């Protein structure tokens, strides 16, 4: 479910950047590909570079927090697999 949601968000970001970037004199294909690969992180940087700094920094900080939480969850899960879990 999470993987599907992540790709859905990345596709929406890529479509938005493909449409909006030419309005701001940016390369639409570059920003669309970056949006597809990096999702909300790219959207935050794009908004900052196009003058919408408040919204851009908010999106960037929230995306960093979300990515950090997912990384911590995967590390914790991996450690549980390696070390093991015991009720003793």
């Amino acid at each position: 479910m999470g993987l599907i949601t992540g790709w859905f968000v990345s596709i929406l970001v890529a479509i938005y950047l493909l449409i909006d970037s030419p309005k701001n004199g940016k390369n639409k294909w570059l920003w669309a590909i970056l949006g597809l690969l990096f999702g909300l992180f790219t959207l935050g940087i794009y908004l900052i570079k196009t003058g919408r700094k408040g919204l851009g920094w908010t999106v960037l900080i929230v995306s960093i927090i979300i990515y950090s939480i997912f990384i911590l969850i995967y590390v914790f899960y991996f450690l549980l697999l390696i070390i093991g879990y015991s009720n003793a």
Side-chain angles (χ1 to χ4, degrees):
M1 179 68 178
L3 184 63
I4 295 171
T5 306
W7 273 107
F8 183 70
V9 170
S10 291
I11 289 171
L12 288 178
V13 168
I15 291 171
Y16 172 76
L17 293 174
L18 186 70
I19 294 170
D20 193 62
S21 57
K23 297 176 188 174
N24 293 300
K26 307 288 183 192
N27 185 335
K28 66 180 180 179
W29 294 111
L30 172 68
W31 284 102
I33 291 170
L34 289 173
L36 189 61
L37 293 175
F38 301 110
L40 291 175
F41 189 77
T42 303
L43 180 61
I45 292 173
Y46 173 78
L47 291 172
I48 291 168
K49 289 191 65 70
T50 56
R52 295 170 273 186
K53 294 188 187 302
L55 180 60
W57 279 110
T58 303
V59 170
L60 187 62
I61 291 169
V62 168
S63 67
I64 289 171
I65 290 171
I66 290 171
Y67 293 146
S68 298
I69 289 171
F70 279 118
I71 289 170
L72 288 174
I73 288 171
Y74 283 119
V75 166
F76 182 70
Y77 177 72
F78 183 72
L79 288 175
L80 279 179
L81 285 176
I82 291 194
I83 298 171
Y85 177 74
S86 174
N87 285 334

